[in-house]
Amino acid sequence: MITMANKLQKYMSPSIIGRGMGVGLLLLLSLLCGCSSDDDDPLKDTRPTFMTAERPNWKIDWSSNDDRPDWQEPDPTKFECSMDLVVFLDDDYLPYSSDNDMLAVFINDECRCVSYRNVMNDGGVTYLLHIKGSSEEVGKSMELRYYCENLHYMSIPQWSPLFEPNNLMASVYQLILRPEDGSKKYPHCTSVFIQHKNELPFVIDANDKLGIFSGDECVGVGEPDLYDESIWRIEAYSNDMTKPVQFRYYSVDMGGVYIFPMSIPLNGNFIMVDVLF
């Protein structure tokens, strides 16, 4: 029986290991797909299965159990400087957005602004922040914290804009907030590259879907690249409790889902998965 360790050892490239990629170890995992009548096939237990199905509604569940924070606006008389910041909600956040959501800015762990959503004519959501600070804090890093009421979800983006007074909505201060930015539920992100070198048994459709699953939990979802069929990319999100994951592909042309049973260990950086359809 071929174990995961055997497969990793077989497909791991020494030349890649020696290059110092910096973003992590590149794993080459071979997932073979096809029909075979050879009972001696050592990979028969790892071949994908196909299941007829309607188009699935795969999505990451960002819901959590974070308590609503008690953020308060600062006393404006304490600070002689201010700056403006515009933050846009990513489309993935919009289904959960409500008037009870809050976005706050902190400097030195002290709240300097609290903002509530503004719904635009096109349905988009923005947050307008008027941030207070002192002259001694010019150039200091600011921390953004976002609370989504419907998800009971707190996120603290890792990007930290600097406090620079008198900048009114400059393009550099127009930021986009995504559910994965600073997620406490899924703090780790792995870029999973799906590479296939054989001719596909279906025609790629714009409504095809890619999925990464830990058991029945969807931790990554995306669409194939219509213009580059050789490699598809999915961002997989995980925490310290996430088990190795599996890759699934839904084909509109075939009317069903390809399920690859081999477990893929997420490393928080990136991995390459070789598949044959």
Side-chain angles (χ1 to χ4, degrees), residues 8 17 19 28 47-48 52 57 80 83-84 95 109 115 124 139 147 155 178 196 215 257-258 266 271:
L8 290 178
I17 295 174
R19 293 177 187 172
L28 300 181
R47 295 184 183 281
T52 302
N57 184 28
E80 69 274 17
M83 68 169 285
D84 293 277
D109 204 35
S115 179
Y147 183 75
S155 63
R178 303 172 177 85
H196 51 91
V257 178
Y258 290 91
L266 301 180
I271 59 177

Side-chain angles (χ1 to χ4, degrees), residues 156-214:
I156 303 176
Q158 294 182 348
W159 31 266
S160 301
L162 302 180
F163 180 67
E164 295 180 357
N166 303 321
N167 282 283
L168 180 62
M169 301 183 186
S171 59
V172 68
Y173 294 111
Q174 294 182 7
L175 306 174
I176 298 177
L177 182 62
R178 303 172 177 85
E180 61 267 28
D181 292 333
S183 170
K184 294 171 59 180
K185 183 175 183 178
Y186 296 121
H188 310 306
C189 177
T190 300
S191 294
V192 181
F193 293 88
I194 309 297
Q195 180 175 244
H196 51 91
K197 299 181 179 179
N198 64 322
E199 183 176 353
L200 296 174
F202 51 81
V203 177
I204 296 180
D205 187 276
N207 290 313
D208 287 1
K209 298 191 76 172
L210 311 172
I212 297 289
F213 287 80
S214 177

Side-chain angles (χ1 to χ4, degrees), residues 35-233:
C35 298
S36 174
S37 59
D38 186 1
D39 292 335
D40 296 327
D41 180 4
L43 297 178
K44 64 180 180 180
D45 293 334
T46 67
R47 295 184 183 281
T49 57
F50 178 81
M51 179 178 65
T52 302
E54 298 291 330
R55 187 174 189 267
N57 184 28
W58 295 335
K59 61 182 180 180
I60 301 173
D61 180 10
W62 295 103
S63 62
S64 189
N65 56 0
D66 294 322
D67 294 331
R68 181 178 177 83
D70 184 26
W71 295 330
Q72 299 294 327
E73 285 278 4
D75 179 358
T77 63
K78 293 173 56 179
F79 306 102
E80 69 274 17
C81 302
S82 65
M83 68 169 285
D84 293 277
L85 177 66
V86 182
V87 175
F88 297 84
L89 272 195
D90 183 74
D91 288 346
D92 288 342
Y93 250 142
L94 296 183
Y96 314 107
S97 176
S98 75
D99 290 338
N100 293 323
D101 298 349
M102 298 185 294
L103 181 63
V105 177
F106 289 75
I107 300 177
N108 296 327
D109 204 35
E110 182 181 348
C111 184
R112 300 301 178 84
C113 175
V114 180
S115 179
Y116 298 87
R117 75 171 186 166
N118 297 273
V119 180
M120 313 300 287
N121 291 334
D122 61 0
V125 172
T126 63
Y127 286 85
L128 309 178
L129 300 116
H130 189 64
I131 306 159
K132 296 293 186 178
S134 65
S135 57
E136 291 79 11
E137 293 170 331
V138 173
K140 285 264 189 180
S141 294
M142 302 184 297
E143 181 180 80
L144 276 67
R145 303 179 189 178
Y146 179 72
Y147 183 75
C148 180
E149 178 77 17
N150 285 332
L151 293 174
H152 301 286
Y153 176 74
M154 173 83 72
S155 63
I156 303 176
Q158 294 182 348
W159 31 266
S160 301
L162 302 180
F163 180 67
E164 295 180 357
N166 303 321
N167 282 283
L168 180 62
M169 301 183 186
S171 59
V172 68
Y173 294 111
Q174 294 182 7
L175 306 174
I176 298 177
L177 182 62
R178 303 172 177 85
E180 61 267 28
D181 292 333
S183 170
K184 294 171 59 180
K185 183 175 183 178
Y186 296 121
H188 310 306
C189 177
T190 300
S191 294
V192 181
F193 293 88
I194 309 297
Q195 180 175 244
H196 51 91
K197 299 181 179 179
N198 64 322
E199 183 176 353
L200 296 174
F202 51 81
V203 177
I204 296 180
D205 187 276
N207 290 313
D208 287 1
K209 298 191 76 172
L210 311 172
I212 297 289
F213 287 80
S214 177
D216 293 327
E217 179 185 9
C218 181
V219 294
V221 61
E223 292 78 35
D225 189 335
L226 299 176
Y227 304 100
D228 183 4
E229 298 183 359
S230 61
I231 297 180
W232 301 321
R233 175 176 174 173

Side-chain angles (χ1 to χ4, degrees), residues 250-271:
Y250 173 75
S251 168
V252 171
D253 186 36
M254 296 298 289
V257 178
Y258 290 91
I259 303 174
F260 293 84
M262 178 181 285
S263 296
I264 306 167
L266 301 180
N267 63 9
N269 294 298
F270 68 85
I271 59 177

Side-chain angles (χ1 to χ4, degrees), residues 26-38:
L26 179 63
L27 303 179
L28 300 181
L29 307 176
S30 178
L31 304 179
L32 300 180
C33 175
C35 298
S36 174
S37 59
D38 186 1

